[in-house]
């Protein structure tokens, strides 16, 4: 009989803790502020993988034109290959420039540096 009683308590504790799992991908530290820098991500290669997919490689330069990242892969950033149909639809080709955002923390104790490749034209 006691086992049923304890399993009921255990179930209640698990159910109460589930809402806290929503933030499992975030580093605890409360509200944080970041300084954003946007660099050009230049398409240097489109590597066709099969009849539907390709990887897109980018070179990232900083604001002074110095090399920031030698190559950034769409696959490594997004954990998937780009669809050839998307590449065609968005007119992605060698030499096109897109946005590479570098977020450096200025306040708080969250993730100190975040880098994101965004498929928006760099201006």
């Amino acid at each position: 009989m006691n086992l049923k009683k304890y399993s009921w308590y255990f179930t209640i504790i698990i159910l109460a803790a589930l809402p806290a799992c929503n933030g499992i991908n975030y580093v605890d530290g409360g509200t944080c502020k970041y300084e954003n820098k946007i660099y050009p991500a230049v398409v240097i290669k489109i590597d066709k993988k099969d009849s539907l997919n390709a990887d897109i490689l980018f070179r990232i330069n900083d604001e002074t034109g110095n090399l920031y990242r030698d190559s950034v892969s769409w696959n490594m950033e997004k954990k998937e290959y780009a669809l050839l149909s998307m590449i065609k639809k968005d007119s992605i080709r060698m030499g096109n420039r897109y946005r590479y955002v570098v977020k450096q923390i200025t306040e708080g104790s969250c993730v100190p540096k975040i880098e994101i490749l965004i498929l928006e034209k760099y201006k």
Side-chain angles (χ1 to χ4, degrees):
M1 299 290 177
N2 280 342
L3 185 58
K4 275 188 172 183
K5 179 180 174 183
Y6 288 118
S7 66
W8 176 249
Y9 288 131
F10 181 72
T11 303
I12 290 174
I13 290 170
I14 294 296
L15 290 175
L18 281 178
C21 292
N22 286 338
I24 199 119
N25 291 330
Y26 302 102
V27 174
D28 190 28
T31 306
C32 295
K33 293 184 181 177
Y34 289 89
E35 175 186 354
N36 295 331
K37 292 184 179 180
I38 301 173
Y39 299 141
V42 179
V43 177
I44 57 173
K45 185 175 183 181
I46 298 175
D47 186 18
K48 189 174 174 183
K49 296 298 179 184
D50 57 35
S51 63
L52 298 174
N53 302 292
D55 197 5
I56 308 169
L57 298 175
F58 301 84
R59 183 187 66 243
I60 316 298
N61 291 328
D62 65 15
E63 65 272 358
T64 61
N66 293 319
L67 188 62
Y68 181 76
R69 293 270 182 264
D70 187 4
S71 63
V72 173
S73 161
W74 178 267
N75 182 40
M76 294 299 288
E77 282 284 310
K78 306 299 181 185
K79 309 299 185 240
E80 64 185 12
Y81 288 114
L83 292 172
L84 289 172
S85 59
M86 179 200 75
I87 292 171
K88 183 178 180 180
K89 180 179 101 5
D90 294 340
S91 301
I92 299 170
R93 39 178 126 350
M94 302 261 294
N96 284 11
R97 297 176 352 144
Y98 298 95
R99 295 166 40 114
Y100 191 76
V101 180
V102 178
K103 301 168 78 75
Q104 187 70 45
I105 195 164
T106 58
E107 290 181 31
S109 57
C110 301
V111 177
K113 189 174 188 179
I114 301 169
E115 299 187 20
I116 308 165
L117 175 64
I118 302 174
L119 213 55
E120 293 176 3
K121 294 283 184 178
Y122 177 83
K123 297 174 185 171

